[in-house]
């Protein structure tokens, strides 16, 4: 964004793992570390949040991994990834952009993202989208947390995803 001012709003300094469960589970809210809450009336039209997340994962079989970005209770972007079989310590990265379109009790945001992940030794041959085809309605007049969550399609002790690095940055027009 030309003329924007950016600032880092949240950083995780410890890792968080989701494994052996089919429950949608937050990756960035371990002891509120990495949790970014946008205060009531803190959204503005055009304000954009950039999420960057890195980690490692492991699998058995070819399980589905659902990644979701939630703003409050609204799912702003989601993707169902078919993961590679029998991976140990595979690297992954997610990049997401959330832009506020309108504000108010029926405010709207648009979110898009991508996940890139290793399918074998040093091979990054798979990508998945965290896509959205329309705006999502959120109440910008109330406090809203931004959450990155994971959910395995099959519970197995071998199906693990660990978030090791996480930041949320805010871009805003200084006008």
């Amino acid at each position: 964004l030309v003329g924007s001012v950016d600032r880092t709003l949240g950083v995780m300094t410890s890792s968080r793992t989701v494994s052996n469960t089919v429950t949608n589970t937050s990756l960035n809210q371990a002891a509120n570390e990495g949790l970014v809450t946008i205060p009531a009336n803190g959204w503005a039209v055009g304000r954009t949040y950039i999420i960057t997340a890195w980690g490692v994962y492991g699998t058995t079989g070819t399980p589905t991994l659902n990644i979701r970005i939630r703003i409050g209770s609204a799912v702003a972007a989601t993707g169902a990834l078919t993961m590679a079989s029998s991976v140990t310590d595979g690297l992954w990265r997610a990049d997401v952009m959330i832009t506020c379109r309108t504000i108010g009790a029926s405010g709207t945001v648009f979110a898009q993202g991508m996940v890139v992940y290793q399918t074998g030794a040093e091979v990054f041959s798979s990508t998945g989208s965290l896509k959205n085809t329309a705006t999502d309605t959120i109440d910008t007049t109330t406090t809203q947390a931004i959450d990155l969550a994971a959910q395995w399609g099959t519970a197995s002790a071998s199906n693990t995803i660990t978030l090791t690095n996480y930041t949320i940055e805010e871009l805003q027009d200084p006008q």
Side-chain angles (χ1 to χ4, degrees), residues 142-167:
T142 63
T143 299
Q144 300 286 349
I146 298 177
D147 184 31
L148 171 66
Q151 179 180 7
W152 288 103
T154 304
S156 168
S158 297
N159 293 339
T160 66
I161 184 167
T162 301
L163 178 64
T164 60
N165 303 83
Y166 178 84
T167 60

Side-chain angles (χ1 to χ4, degrees), residues 100-126:
C100 180
R101 297 277 180 95
T102 61
I103 57 173
S106 296
T108 58
V109 296
F110 213 111
Q112 298 289 8
M114 179 179 286
V115 178
V116 179
Y117 54 99
Q118 216 173 5
T119 56
E122 304 306 317
V123 176
F124 284 89
S125 61
S126 289

Side-chain angles (χ1 to χ4, degrees), residues 57-109:
Y57 78 100
T59 61
T60 185
T62 54
T64 299
L65 175 63
N66 292 296
I67 300 287
R68 293 179 180 91
I69 299 295
R70 295 185 298 215
I71 301 171
S73 60
V75 176
T78 187
L81 313 173
T82 301
M83 305 305 284
S85 179
S86 303
V87 172
T88 302
D89 294 329
L91 187 63
W92 66 270
R93 176 184 173 153
D95 295 293
V96 179
M97 180 178 283
I98 304 165
T99 301
C100 180
R101 297 277 180 95
T102 61
I103 57 173
S106 296
T108 58
V109 296

